Amino acid sequence: QSALTQPASVSGSPGQSITISCTGTSSDVGAYKYVSWYQQHPGKAPKLMIYEVSNRPSGVPDRFSGSKSGNTASLTISGLQAEDEADYYCSSYTSSSTPWVFGGGTKLTVL
Amino acid sequence: EVQLVESGGGLVQPGGSLRLSCAASGFTFSSYEMNWVRQAPGKGLDWVSYISSSGSTKYYADSVKGRFTISRDNAKNSLYLQMNSLRAEDTAVYYCAREYRSSTSRTFDYWGQGTLVTVSS
């Protein structure tokens, strides 16, 4: 199962908005609502930020939002803050013999 | 408070074995599916293995199939990963992750802090 495709890096200034894409196939992102996004700061464990394409767990700021169109999911962060600088990973359930696949990760830099 | 605490990592020679543990607390462990996810140094997340809540269903990434075995002891609130025939490319931080499932959702909602496995001679 190939990894989902994410841009290696994105950047934005404080207060701006950025969007990270996550492209899969009709066997994963395109087939299921089970797309999630995780935030990972250096040396820390991943933290769930978005699940079921667009739902936010309790405690996650509403600056974080998710969407999906076809085989591509997107994470948008509005009103960028310095603490948003981290790596972001998407994941999707898949119909293959291995149930889960992750994206390669995107490094977000807040300028 | 949900807590997942991994242990058992360390330095092992190629071809060697290691058993990772994940101690769960703060939730009804026997009701949740669990996964192992790893992250090689400087690389992205890589799903490794899944086990159902009862332990009857297991899945593995192709890269570890036949070498790794996932198991759980619901009486001890613990998840395990037996790793045999280890290779240099298995070097990574290994995370246990709880899988939350509802009628409409499936996701990894809680992660442990990870345990580092280094395969090197």
Side-chain angles (χ1 to χ4, degrees):
Chain A
Q1 178 69 27
S2 299
L4 306 175
T5 301
Q6 298 181 231
S9 63
V10 298
S11 62
S13 299
Q16 289 186 332
S17 295
I18 63 94
T19 296
I20 300 172
S21 62
C22 170
T23 301
T25 69
S26 57
S27 296
D28 40 61
V29 175
Y32 300 99
K33 296 187 302 180
Y34 307 143
V35 176
S36 299
W37 290 90
Y38 304 90
Q39 176 191 66
Q40 186 181 36
H41 287 107
K44 300 296 186 181
K47 175 187 175 184
L48 178 64
M49 303 301 285
I50 295 287
Y51 67 98
E52 200 182 327
V53 175
S54 59
N55 291 333
R56 280 177 289 105
S58 174
V60 173
D62 59 7
R63 303 184 293 104
F64 291 83
S65 62
S67 63
K68 189 182 83 164
S69 177
N71 296 338
T72 298
S74 298
L75 172 70
T76 298
I77 309 173
S78 58
L80 270 178
Q81 298 183 4
E83 59 260 36
D84 298 334
E85 185 164 293
D87 293 325
Y88 291 85
Y89 295 90
C90 62
S91 75
S92 175
Y93 187 76
T94 86
S95 60
S96 74
S97 58
T98 54
W100 291 103
V101 64
F102 283 93
T106 298
K107 181 176 180 59
L108 168 61
T109 300
V110 180
L111 302 171
Chain B
E1 177 193 7
V2 171
Q3 283 201 316
L4 298 169
V5 180
E6 301 94 336
S7 60
L11 175 64
V12 61
Q13 293 188 338
S17 298
L18 215 52
R19 188 196 197 204
L20 306 183
S21 299
C22 172
S25 61
F27 65 102
T28 305
F29 180 70
S30 60
S31 297
Y32 286 85
E33 298 147 282
M34 297 295 294
N35 291 261
W36 287 99
V37 178
R38 67 184 178 182
Q39 186 171 34
K43 302 297 185 182
L45 301 174
D46 182 31
W47 175 82
V48 173
S49 185
Y50 158 95
I51 188 167
S52 62
S53 56
S54 66
S56 60
T57 301
K58 305 173 184 180
Y59 297 112
Y60 299 93
D62 290 343
S63 58
V64 308
K65 201 172 295 183
R67 300 187 300 122
F68 290 12
T69 302
I70 191 171
S71 63
R72 64 190 297 160
D73 186 335
N74 286 340
K76 295 183 176 180
N77 292 335
S78 293
L79 174 72
Y80 305 102
L81 186 67
Q82 177 66 43
M83 304 186 295
N84 298 331
S85 304
L86 282 162
R87 307 166 180 167
E89 53 265 36
D90 296 318
T91 294
V93 173
Y94 285 73
Y95 296 100
C96 64
R98 188 178 85 165
E99 184 171 325
Y100 169 77
R101 190 206 286 232
S102 71
S103 59
T104 59
S105 296
R106 290 187 75 165
T107 189
F108 302 141
D109 61 345
Y110 284 94
W111 298 64
Q113 86 289 347
T115 187
L116 176 62
V117 173
T118 303
V119 184
S120 175
S121 54

